[in-house]
Amino acid sequence: QAKYAAEFNVPGLAHGLVVSSKIAKCRIKSINRSAALAVPGVIEVFAHDNRPSVASSHEKYSDEAASPGSPFRPLHDDQILFSGQPIALVVAEEFEIARFAATLVDIEYEVDDAITDVDTQLDKAFSPPKKRLPGWDPDPRGDADKAPSQAPIRIQHEYRTPIEHHNPMECFGTTAVFESDGRLAVYDKTQGAPNCHKYLCN
């Protein structure tokens, strides 16, 4: 009888659907919400230009699993950094209404050249510093290059694997409920509950 994160229902629940960028690198010139807002049941279309005030510092958006550097901040500004980036949130009285209205949000872009071939940029890739942890990293031993050269049979080939997500059972979804005592209860699809809790508090 367990519920998915998106199946919790409470009175007055609104539904949001993310509008994603179809361009990998660009700047948002304008967002026309008029057609989406004209759909009965649509409450609002949020984007970088009308979102509620949120934390602005980098530290507030970092978490325990974040890479070094500036973390991604949803709906922060007009810059598109990757294909599929969330750029708007359509909020409506029903999920189906939000999904339909999201198709009506008209976005005009100022397109920039995008780098989509990682192999051409490997010389510019970030290499994290190699830190040895006391009692964890063993002392180096053996010769990794020498061992294969002595093997009676060697196979050398390059394999490439397409993107895979480890969530085939449950699509992404979150239900957030403002409790009467002022607390925020969040039902989320996550395998790192403490990390998610800390991120939301920030």
Side-chain angles (χ1 to χ4, degrees):
Q1 300 297 317
K3 292 182 178 181
Y4 288 140
E7 292 181 330
F8 288 86
N9 201 354
V10 293
L13 187 68
H15 301 262
L17 193 127
V18 172
V19 178
S20 302
S21 172
K22 297 179 176 63
I23 298 176
K25 187 179 180 184
C26 61
R27 186 182 68 81
I28 299 173
K29 290 179 66 176
S30 65
I31 299 178
N32 189 337
R33 306 169 168 82
S34 56
L37 291 171
V39 175
V42 172
I43 299 169
E44 184 58 272
V45 179
F46 292 105
H48 71 279
D49 57 352
N50 72 333
R51 60 165 170 73
S53 178
V54 292
S56 58
S57 66
H58 291 326
E59 295 76 17
K60 294 294 184 180
Y61 292 88
S62 61
D63 63 13
E64 295 170 3
S67 304
S70 301
F72 174 65
R73 292 178 281 182
L75 309 186
H76 175 66
D77 55 27
D78 62 356
Q79 298 297 313
I80 303 299
L81 305 175
F82 58 90
S83 179
Q85 176 177 320
I87 52 178
L89 178 69
V90 179
V91 181
E93 295 173 359
E94 300 290 344
F95 173 75
E96 291 79 8
I97 297 174
R99 182 172 59 184
F100 170 66
T103 67
L104 304 177
V105 178
D106 186 21
I107 301 169
E108 186 179 1
Y109 302 97
E110 185 176 296
V111 182
D112 198 356
D113 293 332
I115 299 169
T116 57
D117 187 353
V118 175
D119 289 337
T120 65
Q121 302 293 315
L122 288 179
D123 60 326
K124 300 177 183 177
F126 171 77
S127 296
K130 295 180 180 179
K131 291 188 283 187
R132 299 196 52 175
L133 304 175
W136 178 262
D137 292 340
D139 292 329
R141 65 179 189 270
D143 189 334
D145 294 325
K146 182 180 178 182
S149 67
Q150 296 176 340
I153 298 174
R154 286 179 292 156
I155 299 175
Q156 183 172 336
H157 192 71
E158 180 178 294
Y159 295 90
R160 291 175 179 257
T161 305
I163 291 175
E164 294 181 358
H165 297 286
H166 69 294
N167 58 330
M169 289 292 293
E170 180 178 2
C171 294
F172 289 106
T174 302
T175 302
V177 182
F178 287 98
E179 304 285 8
S180 58
D181 60 1
R183 292 184 300 172
L184 178 66
V186 177
Y187 302 92
D188 192 31
K189 177 193 183 307
T190 178
Q191 63 182 21
N195 189 22
C196 184
H197 175 266
K198 181 180 178 182
Y199 182 89
L200 290 172
C201 288
N202 281 340

